[in-house]
Amino acid sequence: MAAAVKQVNAHAETMGSQAALFMNINAAKGLLEVMRTNLGPRGTIKMLVGGAGDIKLTKDGNVLLREMQIQNPTAVMIARTAVAQDDITGDGTTTTVLMIGELLKQAEKYLNEGLHPRVLVEGFEIAKKAALAYIDTVKKPIDSSDREQLRCVAYTSLRTKLQEQIANQLTDNVTDAVLTIRVPNEPLDLHMVEIMHMKHKMATDTRLVNGLVLDHGARHPDMKKYNENCFILTCNISLEYEKSEVNSGFFYSSADQREKMVAAERMYTDERVHKIIDLKNKVCGDDPNKSFVVINQKGIDPLSLDLLVQNGIVGLRRAKKRNMERLILACGGVAVNSVEELTPESLGYADKVYEHVIGEDKYTFVEGVKNPHSCTLLIKGPHDHTIAQVKEAIRDGLRAIKNTLDDGHVIPGAGAFEVGLHTHLKNEVVKTVEGRARLGVEAFAEALLIVPKTLASNSGNDPQEALISLQNEHEKGGMLGFDVETGEPTDPTLSGIYDNLIVKKQIIQSSPIVASQLLLVDEVIRAGRNMRPR
């Protein structure tokens, strides 16, 4: 084969069948060793240093695989598979890398004894089908209205990425955020949870705002900074003087004519402002305890701002489009595009609207809204490292709860599923397989144990001892996982350790496929277009 390739392209670099196979296996094992220490709540943190000296601290597998400069083509392929896993399900990147690496590691033992890769691939396929069938027997239904169960799912996800104290607090914030935006019988839209960050205080001060946080403030120094019982007008109306879109001129012969022209131009904008003021007087009257806030997507010029201030109205201009959409969902009311549409029914309501200034940055908080369908997770932290770490963890936590609500089921975590599946494949499935393909099933079963073994070693326990105690419990018919705190077997359903059903299914689906493709590579040919003789 190599000779044939050389005839086609004399500049091509080739690698023979054994060399290619073991290059793939070694690349997978290398990536496995890099990612192994990150798994679980006791996993260690990696420091990534960029070319410009910028530093990123993370234990999130997805961030690591995206940010690391991987040059080996096999390792790149595995990394892309794991990143795709995160894009689809939001979790499971590290486990995917470990599974692919361990499948190839187990396969290597049989390949060294002369077994053909195709036989192992057939065994992997049988084991994969049996594993997907086994998932349906161990999945547990979950009550979507039970906050505590959803909280457990979020905590399991967050605890693998953050310290226990921060994970504890964020679990409540993330769970409440999803329950806030959920509408019965409609798909969950996580974009309705706005994630804002402020470089301020500590990560433990991160909180859920039942309303909205806008990243700008009022545009007039005399506007009230704190307002209660607020009627909120969400509008997309230009309250500033605009030049005509076509080239036009106005000719006058006296100063009086010029004054009339300026007054006529100004009158057009002032009429709009006066209609907003009339609406404010209608709903607030003379009650000093009521406030009126205008949040406009377009501009408000200084003269219009002066008019609003004189009438006790707070005006925010140039609001982002996504915030306008969320404002209506959070506060109620209707987005108004014309002053003719102004009615009391078009207004939203919030208990308080106030401004918070940090250095030169202004933030406007809209809080205390009724029946919100949008909310804000406000991340706080002393520096960019903490904020980035918390933001990535929150995204994964939100996805974990969304997956649970979509699936309606969860899988016992803490390695219980993997040990249970290993026992099922060894005791039942292998007996039904004839011929050498059963070796592939056995390799698949052994590869599954990488998860409980890694959880044990990362928490400072002896992996072999932990594995034996877990297998003994499973042989007795129990479904126990590994407790990283005590080092003993534990019931994950009692400890509240749950994994997403879709994440486990995706790992079982994708890992054997990638491992099989890599096993069936019998030659690596490097002969791109740029290697042709010129």
Side-chain angles (χ1 to χ4, degrees):
M1 178 67 184
V5 172
K6 287 289 183 185
Q7 284 181 346
V8 175
N9 184 350
H11 294 263
E13 296 175 18
T14 61
M15 194 179 284
S17 58
Q18 286 298 311
L21 193 55
F22 287 105
M23 181 203 82
N24 287 343
I25 291 171
N26 289 331
K29 283 160 63 178
L31 199 56
L32 180 148
E33 292 304 324
V34 171
M35 302 293 288
R36 182 200 288 269
T37 53
N38 287 29
L39 188 73
R42 292 291 181 92
T44 51
I45 294 173
K46 297 278 190 289
M47 179 189 284
L48 295 170
V49 183
D54 49 316
I55 296 170
K56 182 172 271 193
L57 297 168
T58 185
K59 59 186 286 196
D60 187 343
N62 178 42
V63 177
L64 274 173
L65 293 171
R66 284 182 190 275
E67 299 282 342
M68 279 195 302
Q69 289 188 358
I70 303 171
Q71 293 187 332
N72 185 288
T74 307
V76 169
M77 182 179 171
I78 295 170
R80 284 178 183 165
T81 307
V83 168
Q85 159 90 18
D86 189 273
D87 291 340
I88 296 165
T89 64
D91 207 355
T93 39
T94 307
T95 312
T96 301
V97 172
L98 296 189
M99 268 297 291
I100 295 170
E102 191 66 15
L103 280 169
L104 291 172
K105 199 173 177 181
Q106 294 296 329
E108 187 179 22
K109 298 175 189 174
Y110 296 105
L111 294 173
N112 286 333
E113 293 170 6
L115 190 69
H116 195 279
R118 174 61 69 184
V119 178
L120 284 171
V121 169
E122 287 173 10
F124 286 175
E125 188 62 28
I126 294 166
K128 183 180 86 172
K129 288 177 181 174
L132 292 172
Y134 177 75
I135 282 181
D136 291 329
T137 65
V138 296
K139 67 181 182 184
K140 297 189 177 297
I142 199 162
D143 182 3
S144 60
S145 61
D146 186 343
R147 182 180 178 276
E148 188 54 39
Q149 283 187 313
L150 296 177
R151 192 183 175 283
C152 290
V153 173
Y155 183 70
T156 306
S157 175
L158 290 170
R159 187 65 188 87
T160 61
K161 296 168 180 66
L162 296 170
Q163 297 166 4
E164 188 172 0
Q165 184 187 0
I166 302 172
N168 264 326
Q169 184 187 343
L170 288 182
T171 300
D172 290 318
N173 293 340
V174 166
T175 309
D176 290 336
V178 174
L179 292 174
T180 298
I181 64 165
R182 188 174 61 154
V183 180
N185 304 320
E186 284 189 26
L188 195 66
D189 184 4
L190 292 181
H191 292 293
M192 289 301 106
V193 179
E194 170 84 344
I195 298 177
M196 284 284 293
H197 64 268
M198 295 166 70
K199 204 183 285 188
H200 179 54
K201 295 189 178 179
M202 303 298 289
T204 47
D205 294 306
T206 297
R207 68 187 182 96
L208 173 69
V209 178
N210 261 328
L212 214 63
V213 181
L214 308 175
D215 54 359
H216 55 278
R219 304 302 299 175
H220 196 287
D222 296 336
M223 285 180 176
K224 285 169 68 178
K225 305 297 181 193
Y226 187 89
N227 305 273
E228 290 185 337
N229 300 324
C230 307
F231 291 97
I232 296 176
L233 172 62
T234 309
C235 59
N236 186 21
I237 302 169
S238 177
L239 298 177
E240 59 186 345
Y241 167 68
E242 293 181 0
K243 291 182 178 179
S244 59
E245 291 183 10
V246 294
N247 290 329
S248 59
F250 184 83
F251 300 96
Y252 49 87
S253 55
S254 66
D256 186 46
Q257 283 181 348
R258 184 182 180 282
E259 290 298 322
K260 285 180 180 176
M261 178 205 75
V262 172
E265 281 186 329
R266 188 69 230 167
M267 193 191 306
Y268 178 70
T269 306
D270 287 350
E271 277 178 1
R272 293 178 166 192
V273 178
H274 283 297
K275 284 187 179 178
I276 292 172
I277 293 168
D278 291 341
L279 179 63
K280 182 257 180 184
N281 293 333
K282 188 175 178 182
V283 294
C284 296
D286 298 325
D287 189 345
N289 295 322
K290 291 181 179 177
S291 305
F292 197 88
V293 179
V294 176
I295 300 177
N296 192 13
Q297 195 175 337
K298 290 185 177 170
I300 307 176
D301 63 18
L303 294 171
S304 300
L305 284 169
D306 275 335
L307 276 172
L308 294 176
V309 169
Q310 289 164 19
N311 289 274
I313 298 174
V314 177
L316 281 80
R317 67 185 183 191
R318 310 263 182 235
K320 294 185 177 73
K321 186 181 177 185
R322 71 169 195 273
N323 286 338
M324 302 298 280
E325 292 169 353
R326 291 194 180 104
L327 264 171
I328 300 156
L329 290 163
C331 306
V334 181
V336 176
N337 292 310
S338 163
V339 286
E340 280 71 34
E341 299 171 19
L342 293 175
T343 60
E345 291 74 32
S346 64
L347 299 175
Y349 180 83
D351 285 342
K352 52 186 176 181
V353 175
Y354 60 94
E355 193 176 287
H356 187 80
V357 182
I358 301 172
E360 294 180 359
D361 297 325
K362 290 183 179 180
Y363 297 89
T364 302
F365 287 71
V366 182
E367 288 192 58
V369 297
K370 294 175 181 175
N371 304 321
H373 293 302
S374 180
C375 58
T376 304
L377 278 165
L378 184 63
I379 300 170
K380 294 187 180 182
H383 45 70
D384 292 332
H385 300 315
T386 306
I387 290 170
Q389 207 172 354
V390 172
K391 191 182 282 189
E392 285 150 8
I394 279 178
R395 289 216 170 95
D396 287 353
L398 291 170
R399 290 285 290 276
I401 300 178
K402 181 183 186 295
N403 290 339
T404 305
L405 293 172
D406 290 346
D407 295 335
H409 292 82
V410 287
I411 297 287
F417 167 74
E418 284 78 9
V419 179
L421 179 54
H422 168 268
T423 308
H424 172 70
L425 290 174
K426 282 275 193 179
N427 295 351
E428 297 176 32
V429 178
V430 168
K431 294 173 184 175
T432 65
V433 182
E434 295 181 359
R436 292 181 299 168
R438 67 191 307 166
L439 297 174
V441 178
E442 287 178 5
F444 190 99
E446 290 299 324
L448 289 164
L449 298 180
I450 184 70
V451 174
K453 283 197 288 192
T454 306
L455 286 173
S457 61
N458 285 354
S459 57
N461 293 286
D462 181 62
Q464 299 304 331
E465 188 182 328
L467 196 56
I468 290 166
S469 60
L470 281 176
Q471 286 176 318
N472 288 340
E473 293 294 338
H474 280 262
E475 293 289 347
K476 296 173 188 173
M479 188 75 176
L480 299 188
F482 182 76
D483 189 338
V484 294
E485 305 288 339
T486 63
E488 298 295 326
T490 182
D491 187 342
T493 53
L494 294 177
S495 307
I497 304 170
Y498 296 116
D499 286 331
N500 283 141
L501 174 65
I502 191 173
V503 172
K504 288 295 179 195
K505 274 191 172 178
Q506 190 69 22
I507 292 168
I508 297 294
Q509 286 269 20
S510 60
S511 302
I513 291 173
V514 176
S516 300
Q517 287 176 335
L518 293 174
L519 283 173
L520 293 175
V521 171
D522 71 338
E523 188 146 8
V524 178
I525 304 164
R526 186 170 179 176
R529 277 178 169 275
N530 60 346
M531 300 186 74
R532 288 180 176 179
R534 292 180 181 176

